[in-house]
Amino acid sequence: MNEVREIVTKAVVAKGKKVMHISHQLKTTANPYSILGCWIINHEFEANKKESLVNIDGTLEVNIWYSTEENTKTDVLRERISYHKDIKVKKIVNNYMKNSDDVIAKILKHPTVTSAKIIDDVIHLDIELEILAEVIGETKMQVTVFLPIESQDEDIDDLDIEVNEEFLNGK
């Protein structure tokens, strides 16, 4: 005999992902001659849901190693950059309890500098990253419950007879 029951559970009800591009300009105290390297460290972000969007608010630290005075000296410029981006999410489940939303956001591609140029003594950066956002909500699902049959219990009792406990001893 089978029965159908409803279970309330948390599930992914909407998801989306986005490749984000951030452009930023940095001014230096010295006149940069060439860029020797760029690193991004200390990336942090928070995700919040608002209607059919997930808002991402984040910060990252950019370190730029550059030369000055016609490649005779070097310096490192450090700057913290803040950003705000929105990710559109697509509903996967239509019927769920709206007030139970949680957001999980994961980095699919860590932030990297894709372009660094010096234009009129200002360093222009292009940064790229990719984030996946999932909205978790409470929903109901139906499951079929199979109730035990008495004859199946008898088969379990017979297992003791069929097991050879001396198998490992080689007898």
Side-chain angles (χ1 to χ4, degrees):
M1 181 176 178
N2 299 340
E3 289 184 22
V4 175
R5 297 197 181 135
E6 282 189 336
I7 297 176
V8 176
T9 187
K10 288 194 174 258
V12 176
V13 296
K15 67 172 30 177
K17 71 178 178 175
K18 184 174 186 176
V19 176
M20 300 177 188
H21 299 278
I22 302 166
S23 295
H24 192 73
Q25 298 176 4
L26 300 118
K27 294 187 179 194
T28 65
T29 55
N31 295 334
Y33 186 78
S34 64
I35 297 172
L36 305 172
C38 296
W39 295 271
I40 295 178
I41 59 173
N42 299 328
H43 179 227
E44 299 173 343
F45 66 93
E46 290 184 5
N48 299 304
K49 183 178 181 291
K50 185 176 182 184
E51 297 172 12
S52 63
L53 296 174
V54 171
N55 301 322
I56 305 290
D57 291 304
T59 60
L60 49 89
E61 185 180 320
V62 177
N63 291 282
I64 301 170
W65 180 33
Y66 63 97
S67 68
T68 60
E69 299 179 23
E70 296 187 12
N71 283 337
T72 59
K73 294 185 179 182
T74 65
D75 199 0
V76 175
L77 175 64
R78 293 174 183 88
E79 189 167 318
R80 194 137 195 82
I81 299 172
S82 297
Y83 67 91
H84 173 84
K85 299 288 182 176
D86 294 326
I87 300 175
K88 283 180 109 174
V89 291
K90 182 180 178 185
K91 276 187 184 179
I92 298 171
V93 177
N94 288 325
N95 297 328
Y96 70 96
M97 297 171 208
K98 306 283 189 232
N99 59 352
S100 65
D101 293 345
D102 291 324
V103 176
I104 296 174
K106 301 174 191 171
I107 294 287
L108 297 178
K109 181 183 176 192
H110 289 279
T112 56
V113 176
T114 57
S115 173
K117 300 174 188 171
I118 301 170
I119 302 172
D120 297 328
D121 293 334
V122 176
I123 299 173
H124 296 259
L125 296 179
D126 291 324
I127 301 168
E128 183 178 281
L129 66 140
E130 185 174 12
I131 296 181
L132 169 72
E134 296 177 322
V135 178
I136 310 295
E138 287 187 0
T139 185
K140 291 182 182 179
M141 62 184 224
Q142 293 183 339
V143 296
T144 302
V145 178
F146 295 94
L147 300 176
I149 302 172
E150 282 73 49
S151 64
Q152 289 179 345
D153 291 338
E154 293 171 7
D155 293 342
I156 292 173
D157 292 337
D158 292 341
L159 282 177
D160 282 341
I161 298 171
E162 298 174 15
V163 175
N164 179 1
E165 294 178 4
E166 298 299 319
F167 174 76
L168 295 175
N169 296 331
K171 296 179 183 177

